[in-house]
């Protein structure tokens, strides 16, 4: 399995609080992604990174921000959590453009 | 809206039967990939087919790609209980080598 670790694996938080999810990789892959998975929607891209400090928005980026200060870590921050952000969040990495992606085990986030 | 859409949404078959699922997408692609997700787990890459390929095999998996119809199919032959999972297609659009977009998935149940 590709070396990807997501933390935490589960989190319950209150509406309005900031939350940060961490994705850590040991593969030295250039590309990193954050997706959310909701029933009936499959995986939707939140943000992605194509290098250190190089990030861009995906299709559902409102309410989320990311940072990548070093190759191995990609952080996803919910600036002020809302109930609509209750979801399972997946991090993925890819070695190069157009290549296969390797996924973490996911973080189940519940906003109450 | 999402790039890929799988059909059917759900499929139930007997062990030993073949399972076929389809994926349609909207824009020109560099490649199309299929992933499997077991319940509660991250996604696992199955197979990648490039836009200039029409068919590809990997073990019991057969993937076809018709770029004129913007569609792909995944065939699992001689299904097993362990094939019970959700299957997703994902695409890289031409000119965008770091944005991997997923469909909503097909849930396959293989009955013993």
């Amino acid at each position: 399995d590709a070396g990807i670790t997501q933390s935490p694996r589960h989190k319950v938080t209150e509406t309005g609080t900031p939350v940060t999810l961490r994705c850590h990789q040991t593969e030295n892959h250039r590309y990193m992604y954050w997706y959310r998975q909701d029933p009936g929607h499959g995986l939707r891209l939140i943000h992605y990174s194509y290098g250190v400090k190089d990030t861009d928005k995906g299709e559902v980026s409102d309410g989320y921000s990311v940072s990548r200060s070093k190759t191995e870590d990609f952080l996803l921050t919910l600036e002020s959590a809302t109930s609509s952000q209750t979801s399972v969040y997946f991090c993925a990495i890819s070695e190069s453009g157009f290549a296969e992606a390797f996924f973490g085990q996911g973080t189940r986030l519940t906003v109450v | 809206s999402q790039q890929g859409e799988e059909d059917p949404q759900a499929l139930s078959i007997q062990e030993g039967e073949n399972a076929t699922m389809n994926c349609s997408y909207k824009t020109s692609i560099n490649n199309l990939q299929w992933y499997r997700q077991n319940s509660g787990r991250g996604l696992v890459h199955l197979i990648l087919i490039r836009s200039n390929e029409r068919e590809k095999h990997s073990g019991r998996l057969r993937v076809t790609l018709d770029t004129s119809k913007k569609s792909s199919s995944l065939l699992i032959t001689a299904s097993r209980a362990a094939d019970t999972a959700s299957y997703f297609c994902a695409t890289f659009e031409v000119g965008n080598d770091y944005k991997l977009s997923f469909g909503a998935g097909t849930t396959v149940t293989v009955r013993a």
Side-chain angles (χ1 to χ4, degrees):
Chain A
D1 290 345
I4 310 171
T5 304
Q6 290 186 231
S7 59
R9 292 292 313 280
H10 301 271
K11 186 170 182 67
V12 179
T13 192
E14 293 185 350
T15 298
T17 61
V19 177
T20 295
L21 308 183
R22 181 183 183 229
C23 177
H24 178 78
Q25 61 146 328
T26 57
E27 305 295 325
N28 200 34
H29 284 358
R30 178 181 175 191
Y31 300 96
M32 299 186 77
Y33 307 86
W34 276 109
Y35 291 90
R36 61 177 289 174
Q37 185 175 32
D38 304 288
H41 290 280
L43 276 82
R44 292 182 290 176
L45 183 63
I46 306 172
H47 280 281
Y48 56 98
S49 171
Y50 44 97
V52 174
K53 294 188 169 62
D54 291 322
T55 65
D56 206 347
K57 296 178 180 180
E59 58 185 307
V60 290
S61 60
D62 286 349
Y64 301 96
S65 62
V66 290
S67 66
R68 191 172 179 196
S69 59
K70 45 187 178 177
T71 300
E72 56 265 37
D73 289 325
F74 192 33
L75 304 180
L76 176 70
T77 297
L78 287 67
E79 294 141 10
S80 177
T82 68
S83 58
S84 64
Q85 293 176 311
T86 291
S87 187
V88 180
Y89 292 85
F90 285 98
C91 174
I93 63 173
S94 181
E95 184 175 15
S96 61
F98 300 125
E100 65 183 288
F102 299 92
F103 280 78
Q105 292 301 300
T107 294
R108 184 172 295 276
L109 176 69
T110 302
V111 183
V112 298
Chain B
S1 61
Q2 289 179 262
Q3 162 77 315
E5 293 184 6
E6 287 90 343
D7 171 62
Q9 290 186 334
L11 182 60
S12 180
I13 57 174
Q14 200 75 28
E15 203 165 23
E17 294 180 338
N18 296 340
T20 300
M21 60 210 84
N22 304 295
C23 169
S24 59
Y25 56 90
K26 298 174 184 173
T27 63
S28 296
I29 60 171
N30 176 279
N31 68 58
L32 184 143
Q33 305 177 27
W34 285 92
Y35 289 78
R36 183 186 75 233
Q37 184 181 34
N38 292 96
S39 181
R41 307 295 297 272
L43 279 73
V44 174
H45 181 266
L46 294 176
I47 196 165
L48 181 154
I49 185 165
R50 293 181 173 79
S51 61
N52 62 352
E53 298 176 312
R54 292 296 168 258
E55 187 170 312
K56 203 162 184 179
H57 296 256
S58 177
R60 295 184 295 112
L61 305 180
R62 173 179 170 253
V63 169
T64 62
L65 180 64
D66 187 335
T67 54
S68 67
K69 296 181 179 178
K70 292 188 169 58
S71 68
S72 173
S73 67
L74 171 66
L75 168 68
I76 305 172
T77 60
S79 63
R80 306 166 181 168
D83 295 326
T84 294
S86 293
Y87 293 82
F88 297 86
C89 67
T91 56
F92 277 111
E93 297 176 23
V94 170
N96 195 335
D97 69 341
Y98 36 77
K99 186 176 178 182
L100 183 59
S101 299
F102 284 80
T106 294
T107 299
V108 175
T109 302
V110 181
R111 306 185 306 273

